[in-house]
Amino acid sequence: MDIPLDLLVNGIVSGLLLGGFYAAVTVGVSISFGMVDIVNIAHPAFIILGSYIVYILGVEFGIDPILAGIAMLPVFYALGAAIYQIYYVSFEKRGRESLRGLAFFFGLLFITEVSLVLVFGVDYRMVPAAYVGPTIRLGFVDLPLRLLVPCVVALTAIGLLHLFLSRSFIGRAILAVSQDEFALRLMGASPVATKRVAFAISLATAALAGACLIIIQPVEPSTGRDYIGRVFAICVMGGMGSFGGMVIAAMLLGIVESLTATFYGPSWAPAVAFTFLLLTLAVRPAGLFGR
Amino acid sequence: MRRGDKGSAARENVAAPAPSAARRSATFLAAAVAVALLAFLAARSVGNDYVFFAGYVVLQYIVLATAWNILGGYTGYVNFGTAAFFAAGAYSSVVLHKLVPLPLVVHILVGGLVSGLIGLGVGYLTLRLRGVFFSIATLAMAVVMQTLITNWEFVGGSRGTYVIRPAAVPIVGDYIQYLFLVMALLAALAVWVARQIEGSRLGYGFATIRDDEVAAEASGVPTLRLKLIATTVSGAFMGMAGAPYPYYVTYLDPASGFNLAYAVNSIAMPLVGGTATWAGPVIGAILLGSIQQLATVTISSALNLLLVGVILVGFVIAAPNGIMGLLQKRRP
């Protein structure tokens, strides 16, 4: 098959941009699942919730989606802290997190999705912003702003989070929990309080990821399901808690998906993530860059 | 990770000598079939076809909940992909219908075979890792299988496909009554198999995996093989429940075949009823299934799904051992 060069290059470029956005979607799960071992499968549903809030703020009050996403960070942080508290009291404390904890998050996923359907219906929603339409052209390479802006926002946010985790006291405590919870207890620090902060941060990232999502594509309540496979594929392939590995894995998935969409049609793209996930689990469960 | 919260029920019925156990299991099967036939006659005596349509859904959920519980309740591995297994059964039935329409029982067997193999495959790839990876894989699998079916024009693609069901069946009568009867017998079979597993070596093996997999592995329990048996049997029953579905709805599209409602219901029902024994999923399915059938008629269908989600979360937080657990707590 003769592959036209410009199609190939454009596919790779938009895949890289898409990958930056996928990293923003995954970073929350990287913290909750990868670091503090809470399998929050409802994370994509909370991202959709974030998208809808950004949508309301954008349409009703004309607030820029990215600004709206940043403004929602504290709200999602509080929501995350509350959810962790319920999870801790009902499951972790009793040592029942495996079966019932999973069912709990699955229930949350379902409640969030169905509530959104009840409130907004199943129509696709979009948000107005100056950078949704235009495209920058460099020779034959297209840089659509609706992909570029979320990618830049996402990588900036991940960079800041990385600085926070490696420099601040509480950030280092979170990394400590991810390495050895028992040892942290011996040092006199409370793993529960640390995990609460970690989980709250992970949920706060859903607000920003939601803002990015609704810039990239129109959103309806069940859109989140397409991201479950992607998010966990990236998280596992990147080596669970590692941000660097996560970004690389996200870009890899973005490129392969984008090329699949270019050459085989967009309806096949969701299958790529699952293949990635299964292959990673079967061949190298520690991830590409796992320790 | 402590998993010792449900071990007591398995220890309770350490079986009596073998011959009487075999006889008791035969009695149980006979009783289950008798209940299924009674349900059929009772539905017939009402003289309204709606009873068959509503009853079929409840019976289908008994099969799905029991199948889910064979893996989830007995071994502790959570399957989020019920919809995928169910749809695999339904769509293999569509394929058969388009190629060579065979008797419904053959469709059910083929559906069970296909879904059983899918269960075996996913299990083989992910079950050597921590259990949560299996759960995530099943969740993602549902999305991907829906993509595959949506792209497969032979079975109707995203537009869906019509399946003309025969008007009537000799002896039984109307086709919907026949479907009801078949599903009732399938439910009886599933519950019997679940009960057989509970009291067998296999069931005790499953329980050791649920209670402490590392200890089980160390004591020589072939955990991977047992887990694969559980995923295969569980997946097969979900496929069997799905195989008659195209004839029930007569129009099948990916959105209805892969409805997330199957996944949430098949998890909620055992957890609400109680996961330790065969009775839990049956109680949960009858209770939640009937509530939903009533709610769909009286309120909206989206609202009743919300209800199931809330009940699920409420039960896992407040009554972790389900209704059976609450009942047993009452006893001295």
Side-chain angles (χ1 to χ4, degrees):
Chain A
M1 192 172 78
D2 192 26
I3 299 169
L5 183 71
D6 55 339
L7 265 185
L8 187 68
V9 173
N10 271 315
I12 291 175
V13 169
S14 65
L16 283 172
L17 296 178
L18 202 60
F21 160 66
Y22 284 171
V25 177
T26 312
V27 69
V29 170
S30 237
I31 296 172
S32 61
F33 179 40
M35 290 182 186
V36 293
D37 207 23
I38 301 167
V39 192
N40 179 12
I41 49 169
H43 192 78
F46 288 116
I47 292 177
I48 304 300
L49 181 66
S51 290
Y52 271 93
I53 294 175
V54 167
Y55 165 76
I56 298 173
L57 292 177
V59 171
E60 298 286 323
F61 305 102
I63 300 173
D64 178 83
I66 298 290
L67 285 181
I70 293 171
M72 290 313 292
L73 288 176
V75 179
F76 273 64
Y77 184 91
L79 179 67
I83 291 175
Y84 178 75
Q85 200 55 35
I86 297 174
Y87 177 77
Y88 171 70
V89 172
S90 317
F91 309 106
E92 258 188 6
K93 204 162 136 194
R94 304 186 200 158
R96 292 208 169 98
E97 64 261 43
S98 53
L99 179 78
R100 293 186 174 75
L102 272 174
F104 169 71
F105 280 115
F106 188 67
L108 287 187
L109 180 160
F110 202 72
I111 291 173
T112 312
E113 190 178 313
V114 176
S115 306
L116 286 174
V117 171
L118 284 173
V119 177
F120 294 97
V122 291
D123 303 332
Y124 280 95
R125 309 281 173 162
M126 286 189 76
V127 75
Y131 41 82
V132 169
T135 297
I136 301 174
R137 304 208 62 159
L138 300 171
F140 61 82
V141 180
D142 290 337
L143 290 174
L145 279 183
R146 71 175 177 85
L147 284 178
L148 189 62
V149 171
C151 179
V152 171
V153 170
L155 293 180
T156 315
I158 290 167
L160 290 176
L161 252 180
H162 183 71
L163 276 180
F164 170 73
L165 285 176
S166 53
R167 298 286 159 82
S168 73
F169 179 79
I170 185 76
R172 288 174 174 211
I174 292 171
L175 292 181
V177 170
S178 78
Q179 283 172 13
D180 196 335
E181 191 178 323
F182 187 64
L184 189 75
R185 213 184 288 263
L186 292 181
M187 300 296 120
S190 156
V192 177
T194 317
K195 281 172 127 178
R196 190 186 303 123
V197 174
F199 190 78
I201 292 175
S202 92
L203 213 72
T205 65
L208 205 54
C212 293
L213 173 65
I214 202 163
I215 295 172
I216 287 188
Q217 66 167 84
V219 169
E220 55 113 4
S222 70
T223 309
R225 284 188 228 161
D226 299 341
Y227 284 90
I228 294 172
R230 286 186 186 128
V231 160
F232 283 95
I234 294 168
C235 184
V236 174
M237 195 160 58
M240 303 292 278
S242 132
F243 278 11
M246 175 190 78
V247 171
I248 296 173
M251 300 219 158
L252 214 57
L253 180 68
I255 292 171
V256 177
E257 266 193 12
S258 158
L259 291 180
T260 310
T262 311
F263 294 108
Y264 297 97
S267 58
W268 284 104
V272 175
F274 182 67
T275 317
F276 262 63
L277 179 65
L278 269 193
L279 278 180
T280 316
L281 289 179
V283 180
R284 189 158 165 71
L288 287 179
F289 317 98
R291 277 165 283 187
Chain B
M1 207 179 294
R2 199 150 47 84
R3 294 215 198 100
D5 52 323
K6 291 167 298 182
S8 59
R11 247 172 276 130
E12 232 173 69
N13 46 9
V14 175
S20 104
R23 186 182 298 166
R24 269 193 305 164
S25 106
T27 317
F28 185 86
L29 180 61
V33 171
V35 171
L37 292 176
L38 269 178
F40 176 66
L41 291 177
R44 207 162 192 179
S45 72
V46 178
N48 181 346
D49 266 0
Y50 176 72
V51 178
F52 287 99
F53 280 99
Y56 176 88
V57 177
V58 176
L59 289 167
Q60 175 183 289
Y61 274 130
I62 293 181
V63 181
L64 288 176
T66 304
W68 186 89
N69 202 45
I70 289 176
L71 180 68
Y74 298 169
T75 73
Y77 277 76
V78 184
N79 177 1
F80 288 121
T82 304
F85 290 99
F86 178 84
Y91 271 98
S92 50
S93 194
V94 169
V95 172
L96 273 187
H97 178 82
K98 295 209 173 223
L99 294 174
V100 269
L102 294 165
L104 189 61
V105 180
V106 181
H107 283 222
I108 291 177
L109 289 177
V110 172
L113 187 71
V114 169
S115 292
L117 285 176
I118 293 175
L120 184 66
V122 176
Y124 185 75
L125 286 177
T126 56
L127 279 176
R128 279 165 296 178
L129 307 163
R130 283 174 52 204
V132 60
F133 288 116
F134 171 76
S135 307
I136 294 165
T138 54
L139 194 57
M141 182 185 74
V143 177
V144 173
M145 281 197 31
Q146 188 168 356
T147 311
L148 293 180
I149 295 291
T150 308
N151 283 298
W152 192 13
E153 275 307 314
F154 182 70
V155 292
S158 56
R159 282 174 291 107
T161 182
Y162 286 94
V163 176
I164 311 296
R165 67 169 170 233
V169 172
I171 305 169
V172 186
D174 203 17
Y175 202 77
I176 183 65
Q177 302 194 8
Y178 176 61
L179 283 174
F180 181 95
L181 181 61
V182 167
M183 197 47 86
L185 291 174
L186 186 60
L189 179 71
V191 171
W192 178 72
V193 168
R195 185 180 175 277
Q196 282 297 98
I197 290 175
E198 253 170 53
S200 68
R201 272 176 71 88
L202 195 62
Y204 294 130
F206 288 172
T208 62
I209 293 174
R210 180 188 62 205
D211 291 343
D212 192 332
E213 189 166 343
V214 180
E217 181 80 49
S219 333
V221 177
T223 54
L224 180 62
R225 199 195 312 157
L226 290 185
K227 285 187 283 184
L228 288 178
I229 293 174
T231 32
T232 311
V233 172
S234 168
F237 270 115
M238 289 175 181
M240 288 198 231
Y245 187 67
Y247 293 101
Y248 173 77
V249 281
T250 67
Y251 167 71
L252 181 65
D253 66 339
S256 74
F258 287 90
N259 203 321
L260 203 59
Y262 294 116
V264 76
N265 269 308
S266 62
I267 294 170
M269 286 163 177
L271 285 171
V272 165
T275 53
T277 58
W278 60 268
V282 176
I283 293 173
I286 293 176
L287 204 67
L288 280 184
S290 315
I291 290 176
Q292 284 176 79
Q293 283 304 312
L294 290 175
T296 314
V297 183
T298 49
I299 329 170
S300 80
S301 64
L303 203 60
N304 91 52
L305 283 180
L306 184 65
L307 196 69
V308 177
V310 173
I311 291 176
L312 168 64
V313 170
F315 260 86
V316 290
I317 291 175
N321 292 325
I323 293 173
M324 290 297 282
L326 292 178
L327 290 177
Q328 275 161 1
K329 213 182 275 173
R330 289 282 158 75
R331 272 190 232 146

